[in-house]
Amino acid sequence: MSEAYQIALTKTAEQHQALYIALYELMKEALGDRPMEESIKWGQLMFHRGTENLISLIPLKARINLQFHNGAHLNNALGLLEGTGKDLRHVKCHSLEFVDQNRGELARLIDESIVTGA
């Protein structure tokens, strides 16, 4: 676990920490051995390659958003991605059950985001 992850986790509300951990672990699984930097940008944990921001974990009051900085360009066949910005899309993760039920699609979106880049 990176130092950035540990900092971000301490800033996540206690009731969302298990969900945050599950999403981080899913990110790491989907990454496999591909190199990806982790740092705190705009107060959030960001997965990036140099200045190419790809995915961030955004803890909110009622959920954790899995934010894709190139999400508008990803295949959203199951409709998990939300948002209307030029590039940015997010998946609203309210529970561990949601993550478990959508694990395959979330991993696919992570993989596609990394492969296609920003």
Side-chain angles (χ1 to χ4, degrees), residues 12-16 19 58-65 93-94:
T12 302
E14 189 173 333
Q15 71 266 24
H16 295 307
L19 179 57
I58 313 290
L60 300 167
K61 203 174 234 184
R63 66 182 182 270
I64 307 287
N65 277 0
C93 302
H94 292 277

Side-chain angles (χ1 to χ4, degrees), residues 5 10 16 23 28 36-37 40 45 50-51 53 57 63-65 69-70 79 87 96:
Y5 163 75
T10 64
H16 295 307
L23 287 168
K28 297 304 275 187
M36 187 70 55
E37 297 169 73
I40 302 294
L45 179 62
T51 60
N53 298 326
L57 291 175
R63 66 182 182 270
I64 307 287
N65 277 0
H69 293 259
N70 59 351
D87 295 310
L96 290 170

Side-chain angles (χ1 to χ4, degrees), residues 27 31 35-37 41 46-49 51-56 66-71 74 88-89 110 112-118:
M27 275 292 307
L31 282 173
M36 187 70 55
E37 297 169 73
K41 289 189 178 184
M46 177 75 66
F47 292 85
H48 59 97
R49 285 187 295 242
T51 60
E52 180 185 32
N53 298 326
L54 294 170
I55 302 169
S56 49
L66 184 58
Q67 187 163 279
F68 294 88
H69 293 259
N70 59 351
L74 303 178
L88 197 65
R89 296 290 185 274
I110 292 166
E112 185 181 349
S113 177
I114 293 163
V115 170
T116 60

